[in-house]
């Protein structure tokens, strides 16, 4: 196992500031997920930790030792790329066995380890195939298996489930979490999929435009977002937001469609100062009624989205 600490990490590509003063730690044996939209700087962070990218400023420490100047091979990390990066002339078995051949392992030990991981990833029947004879999802699983057989001190994973079909992605989320617990390994996982982040992470670090927004347990990120970006990015369906004015203990929507009296503790938090606010409400905290009741908000149901186990109700309020 291994722990990682990143301090004041910055990286620029030309005029683009990919990362700006990122401070982050990954604890020993933790499953930490770096979550953010496309171009947030997630992959750049991972590549800096792996030694593939040279950071402009900052310090990266692993197990108390600064690793800024170490080569990727000296960092004892396994990197699973979003692209497959398989050897085209080697079979799946040979690709997975390759990292073990440099170690003092017998053929029998290598064979046992490769086949154990192949069974876990459901690719046993692919072991004699070359990458050209595999689908994209199959190639990704082989790439994932190649990292797993090494049993490194830390796994760096750059959206490894992207090319898998939905059913297999769901299965692999559970299997990755189980594997991490069994190996007692440290996982630093990058994704733009909030479901992956919420279901697998011990902690989530939310990144946007190279700036770290919030770090915390999934429940904390969801229930107590640090800012509007985190609130809107985490949650499916997306949080409902309405611009309001707070005045004399009441929220008034800017289009005057509705008013919402606040509770005493909410008024105390706002110090009764008149100000503009954004009201955010999660869908699960809303009840749709057939007829108006006291303090309810009137809206118009304009579309239903049945999903089998639930139905999304889209309601138009005012504009």
């Amino acid at each position: 196992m291994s722990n990682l600490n990143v301090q004041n990490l910055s990286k620029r590509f030309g005029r683009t500031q990919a990362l700006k003063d990122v401070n982050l730690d990954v604890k020993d044996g933790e499953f930490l997920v770096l979550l953010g939209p496309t171009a947030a700087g997630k992959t750049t962070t991972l590549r800096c930790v792996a030694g593939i990218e040279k950071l402009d400023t900052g310090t990266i420490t692993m197990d108390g030792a600064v690793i800024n100047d170490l080569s990727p091979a000296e960092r004892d990390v396994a990197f699973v790329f979003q692209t497959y990066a398989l050897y085209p002339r080697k079979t799946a078995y040979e690709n997975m066995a390759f990292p073990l051949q440099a170690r003092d392992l017998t053929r029998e030990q290598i064979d046992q380890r490769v086949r154990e991981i192949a069974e876990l990833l459901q690719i046993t029947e692919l072991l004699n195939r070359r990458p050209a004879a595999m689908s994209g999802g199959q190639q990704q699983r082989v790439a994932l298996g190649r990292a797993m057989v090494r049993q490194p001190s830390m796994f760096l994973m750059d959206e490894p489930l992207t090319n898998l079909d939905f059913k297999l992605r769901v299965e692999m989320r559970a299997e990755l979490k189980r594997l991490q617990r069994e190996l007692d390994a440290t996982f630093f996982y990058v994704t733009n999929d909030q479901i992956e982040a919420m279901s697998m992470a011990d902690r989530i670090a939310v990144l946007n435009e190279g700036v770290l927004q919030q770090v915390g347990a999934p429940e904390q990120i969801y229930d107590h977002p640090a800012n509007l970006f985190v609130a809107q990015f985490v949650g499916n369906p997306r949080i409902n937001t309405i611009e309001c004015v707070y005045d004399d203990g009441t929220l008034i929507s800017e289009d005057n469609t509705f008013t919402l009296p606040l509770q005493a503790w909410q008024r105390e938090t706002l110090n009764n100062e008149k100000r503009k606010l954004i009201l955010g409400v999660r869908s699960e905290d809303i009840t749709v009624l057939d007829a108006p009741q006291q303090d309810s908000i009137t809206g118009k149901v304009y579309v239903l989205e049945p999903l089998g186990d639930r139905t999304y109700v889209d309601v138009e309020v005012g504009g």
Side-chain angles (χ1 to χ4, degrees):
M1 295 191 296
S2 185
N3 59 72
L4 177 75
N5 181 263
V6 175
Q7 293 183 333
N8 302 318
L9 176 59
S10 294
K11 179 66 179 178
R12 178 183 291 274
F13 297 98
R15 296 183 178 180
T16 303
Q17 186 75 48
L19 297 171
K20 184 177 181 181
D21 294 328
V22 173
N23 291 277
L24 184 65
D25 67 284
V26 185
K27 300 176 183 178
D28 196 9
E30 182 180 38
F31 199 128
L32 185 129
V33 175
L34 187 59
L35 174 68
T38 302
K42 307 183 300 298
T43 296
T44 301
T45 302
L46 217 59
R47 290 171 66 89
C48 287
V49 171
I52 300 172
E53 294 286 355
K54 186 176 181 180
L55 50 154
D56 295 338
T57 60
T59 304
I60 300 177
T61 305
M62 186 175 290
D63 292 334
V66 177
I67 62 172
N68 287 32
D69 298 325
L70 295 183
S71 68
E74 295 172 310
R75 300 191 183 199
D76 191 27
V77 297
F79 200 122
V80 181
F81 296 89
Q82 183 176 357
T83 53
Y84 319 119
L86 298 176
Y87 297 104
R89 296 186 179 181
K90 293 181 182 292
T91 64
Y93 183 97
E94 293 168 338
N95 268 282
M96 292 174 64
F98 185 77
L100 301 177
Q101 292 171 351
R103 304 184 179 185
D104 295 329
L105 298 177
T106 65
R107 286 187 177 182
E108 290 75 17
Q109 289 173 322
I110 292 175
D111 183 75
Q112 179 181 358
R113 185 62 185 162
V114 169
R115 295 189 182 279
E116 284 177 355
I117 297 300
E119 183 176 354
L120 171 65
L121 296 174
Q122 303 177 23
I123 55 173
T124 302
E125 72 280 2
L126 305 176
L127 290 178
N128 293 323
R129 295 190 197 176
R130 292 184 177 180
M134 304 179 200
S135 68
Q138 291 170 337
Q139 291 183 55
Q140 188 67 296
R141 280 183 281 168
V142 173
L144 188 60
R146 183 176 56 189
M148 289 180 174
V149 297
R150 286 186 51 200
Q151 296 182 320
S153 59
M154 180 176 292
F155 288 88
L156 307 179
M157 298 190 172
D158 185 13
E159 303 189 43
L161 307 185
T162 298
N163 296 303
L164 304 183
D165 60 57
F166 177 77
K167 179 176 180 294
L168 190 54
R169 287 182 73 166
V170 173
E171 293 177 359
M172 283 305 304
R173 288 203 301 262
E175 290 297 342
L176 278 177
K177 188 67 176 178
R178 182 184 65 81
L179 179 69
Q180 186 257 344
R181 293 301 185 209
E182 283 188 359
L183 298 178
D184 202 16
T186 307
F187 274 33
F188 190 6
Y189 188 103
V190 159
T191 184
N192 60 11
D193 187 331
Q194 59 171 301
I195 296 178
E196 285 184 17
M198 295 292 290
S199 62
M200 292 194 299
D202 296 321
R203 288 189 303 148
I204 297 174
V206 183
L207 189 71
N208 184 43
E209 296 182 346
V211 179
L212 197 62
Q213 305 292 314
Q214 186 176 1
V215 182
E219 298 82 6
Q220 180 184 3
I221 296 289
Y222 186 81
D223 293 331
H224 304 286
N227 53 44
L228 184 61
F229 171 79
V230 176
Q232 292 180 326
F233 189 74
V234 177
N236 185 30
R238 181 169 166 161
I239 193 172
N240 301 277
T241 57
I242 302 175
E243 294 183 353
C244 298
V245 175
Y246 175 70
D247 187 16
D248 194 25
T250 301
L251 280 182
I252 307 169
S253 64
E254 285 205 336
D255 58 5
N256 291 313
T257 302
F258 69 88
T259 60
L260 185 66
L262 297 186
Q263 299 178 19
W265 69 269
Q266 295 170 320
R267 296 196 298 271
E268 291 175 3
T269 301
L270 295 170
N271 297 321
N272 287 324
E273 297 178 6
K274 185 175 181 178
R275 65 177 76 176
K276 290 186 176 181
L277 298 174
I278 295 178
L279 172 65
V281 186
R282 297 287 187 191
S283 296
E284 60 268 26
D285 295 321
I286 298 174
T287 301
V288 179
L289 305 171
D290 292 331
Q293 294 185 7
Q294 184 178 2
D295 295 333
S296 64
I297 298 172
T298 301
K300 178 182 178 182
V301 176
Y302 68 93
V303 69
L304 299 178
E305 302 176 58
L307 300 177
D309 62 333
R310 72 198 72 182
T311 297
Y312 290 158
V313 183
D314 291 305
V315 181
E316 180 180 338
V317 178

